[in-house]
Amino acid sequence: MGLDEVRADWTRLGADAPLWAVCVDPAKRDGGWDDDEFLASGAREIASALERLDALGLRPEGGRALDFGCGAGRLSNALADHFDAVVGVDISAPMLAEARRLDRSGGRIEFRLNDAPDLAGLPDASFDLVYTDLVLQHLPPALAAGYVREFARVVRPGGAMVIGVPARERRTFKGLVFRYAPWPAIRFAQRALLGYPAPMRMHPLPADRLAALLAPAGARIAASDPYWGGDHWEHLRHYVAVDGGAR
Ligand SMILES: C[S@@+](CC[C@H](N)C(=O)[O-])C[C@H]1O[C@@H](n2cnc3c(N)ncnc32)[C@H](O)[C@@H]1O
């Protein structure tokens, strides 16, 4: 699977069911998300993440935030309440159209299409905070690794990152299916049985692997907190200090 397939799948998901595809909940299919409720879930997430950064002594005081894989702008809008400027990057044009529809920042969010395997359009050290949640697991591991290295490039020394990603499957039926079943069987089940507009891959990123990707850039995981209980994956939210090493 390459980036073309990722783009095709998320373009389809964004066109058919953007809010559901961002926060998958069977009860929210077919327009089940209310816009305000959807954005409020992002506001809660960002408030708790910033509180945690504060407690760790890592919270940037305003400045610029990058929301990688911004989808419909759920988190970008919330970041715009705390930062002077926000850039939301996504690979799916229909997702970005939805993000622009939901933009309540008064013009302080720039939504950008990026369908490259890097963030070449963004300068070095140009963000105080890089935030990403619910994105890297949908990418083949080599592509996810490349973006993590790019996060370390675009964040300024002394800045911070928050990276939300499942570390491993839980030993539930669904978790074990994702771990052991061949991808064509999972894709078939998602499309034919569950009615997904396009398949959604899941690739956990273990914390030690993430730490190894960050270390060469002088970035270290300061805390890894479990979040989102009762799921089939062990989701961790990693709070990353960027000290600035060799770039
Ligand atoms: C589950 S949604 C999460 C959206 C958002 N982070 C949130 O939590 O509200 C995943 C998003 O990642 C985007 N995405 C997937 N691969 C990407 C890539 N290579 N570059 C940028 N965005 C990507 C998808 O288009 C989709 O909008």
Side-chain angles (χ1 to χ4, degrees), residues 123-136:
D124 293 359
S126 54
F127 291 95
D128 299 277
L129 177 74
V130 171
Y131 199 102
T132 189
D133 192 18
L134 305 176
V135 180
L136 295 179

Side-chain angles (χ1 to χ4, degrees), residues 3 6 10 21-23 38 67-72 74-75 89-92 95 114 116 133-135 138-139 147:
L3 200 56
V6 172
W10 281 98
V22 164
C23 295
F38 179 78
D67 180 12
F68 176 76
C70 63
R74 187 177 71 97
L75 304 172
V89 164
D90 206 279
I91 200 169
S92 164
M95 279 290 188
N114 184 67
D133 192 18
L134 305 176
V135 180
H138 299 305
L139 297 170
Y147 288 120

Side-chain angles (χ1 to χ4, degrees), residues 205-220:
L205 176 56
D208 56 353
R209 169 81 180 129
L210 179 63
L213 291 169
L214 293 167
R220 64 185 165 81

